[in-house]
Amino acid sequence: MSEERGDVDNQRKASPGLDPSGAVPYETTYHKGPVILRGDMIPDESTSEHLLRPDDSPDWLHTDPWRVLRIQAEFVDGFSALAGLGPAVACFGSARTGREDAAYVAARTAGGLLAKAGYAVITGGGPGIMEAANRGCAEAGGKSVGLGIELPHEEGINRWVNMGITFRYFFVRKVMFMKYSSGGIVFPGGFGTLDEAFEMLTLIQTHKAKSMPVVFFGSEYWGGLFDWISGPVTSHGMISAPDRTLVTITDDVEEAVRVATGAAAR
């Protein structure tokens, strides 16, 4: 019998558990890495035995501990790919925007201006606004990055991306946006766009991320949202008045690029 196997058996035998009244505490602790187990939670087999036991079922591939390794691998892949990217601006917006839409044209123009200013463009890699910003950047000879996400009904990385990564997990993808962007331009979009934009603003507001300029493009589209934020949200004390200054709203593409790259402050 292995020493580890003997420890499991001895600790299980020594543990009295709880009597029906709950008056007897657990006397034996089994250490399984950083986890402590007592009473009936002490396993029948050691970690080594579990690892070496033949198992024809692939179900272990879908367990939470294995997912942690996949998450770790996604972080490693993302950091490795983007570490040498240089200055970049994230461009968010709807995947549903058509190529004839004014917002598509604006995002394409912004992508080109960012590339000419020496900035990479980072998008979610999909169609619509994301394609437009990637397209403008690629056409200007810039670094056009797409951080895709595995979704059942979405297209893959658009063809204007010259560096693309597809993630399984939204939160890993968000870390990449935040870590490698020095500014953001938010074009008209829906829930996904709002999620990404307010994630960025929340991290800046709470000083969990470096301060960076965030631009919302399209005053008619975003005006109602920021009227609400400046009105009820501020008057009820849900944010502080200075928080409103974290955002610039504009209809001028060149201004959006100047602000997002920090040129407006220089």
Side-chain angles (χ1 to χ4, degrees):
M1 180 184 294
S2 71
E3 183 177 346
E4 189 175 7
R5 172 69 263 171
D7 288 344
V8 173
D9 290 340
N10 291 335
Q11 291 182 61
R12 179 172 288 283
K13 291 173 183 177
S15 177
L18 296 174
D19 67 20
S21 67
V24 179
Y26 294 114
E27 294 182 353
T28 302
T29 298
Y30 177 75
H31 292 274
K32 187 177 182 181
V35 179
I36 63 169
L37 300 167
R38 293 175 175 144
D40 291 340
M41 295 300 294
I42 294 176
D44 291 324
E45 62 180 1
S46 69
T47 301
S48 295
E49 285 178 305
H50 183 73
L51 174 65
L52 298 174
R53 172 169 47 82
D55 189 353
D56 295 330
S57 171
D59 289 347
W60 60 275
L61 288 170
H62 307 292
T63 62
D64 286 340
W66 182 248
R67 288 190 182 99
V68 171
L69 296 179
R70 282 180 170 170
I71 291 166
Q72 181 183 28
E74 289 206 345
F75 276 116
V76 171
D77 288 343
F79 292 153
S80 296
L82 299 171
L85 184 62
V89 169
C91 294
F92 304 115
S94 177
R96 305 182 186 190
T97 305
R99 293 190 176 102
E100 304 304 318
D101 193 291
Y104 183 101
V105 175
R108 181 179 174 183
T109 301
L113 292 173
L114 287 166
K116 291 173 183 176
Y119 284 76
V121 169
I122 305 178
T123 79
I129 292 294
M130 295 172 280
E131 175 192 284
N134 285 135
R135 179 178 179 178
C137 179
E139 289 172 334
K143 297 176 181 177
S144 179
V145 180
L147 306 182
I149 188 71
E150 183 182 297
L151 292 173
H153 304 296
E154 290 287 340
E155 299 180 25
I157 300 292
N158 71 68
R159 64 192 182 95
W160 298 100
V161 166
N162 53 37
M163 178 188 289
I165 310 170
T166 299
F167 295 93
R168 284 187 176 93
Y169 302 101
F170 272 109
F171 58 87
V172 179
R173 182 192 194 212
K174 287 180 179 179
V175 169
M176 300 304 152
F177 271 119
M178 289 302 304
K179 183 171 177 63
Y180 294 104
S181 298
S182 54
I185 304 177
V186 185
F187 292 91
F191 286 162
T193 301
L194 289 167
D195 175 57
E196 291 160 338
F198 279 99
E199 177 87 13
M200 180 174 281
L201 289 173
T202 299
L203 291 172
I204 295 170
Q205 179 203 42
T206 57
H207 305 288
K208 297 297 184 183
K210 62 185 181 294
S211 179
M212 68 176 75
V214 180
V215 184
F216 280 71
F217 183 85
S219 59
E220 181 180 358
Y221 188 87
W222 296 114
L225 172 64
F226 283 96
D227 286 344
W228 173 69
I229 289 173
S230 299
V233 176
T234 302
S235 64
H236 282 76
M238 303 304 175
I239 64 170
S240 302
D243 293 335
R244 174 60 183 80
T245 64
L246 296 174
V247 171
T248 299
I249 302 174
T250 184
D251 295 307
D252 184 329
V253 177
E254 293 186 356
E255 181 186 11
V257 170
R258 285 197 304 271
V259 173
T261 59
R266 293 200 289 266

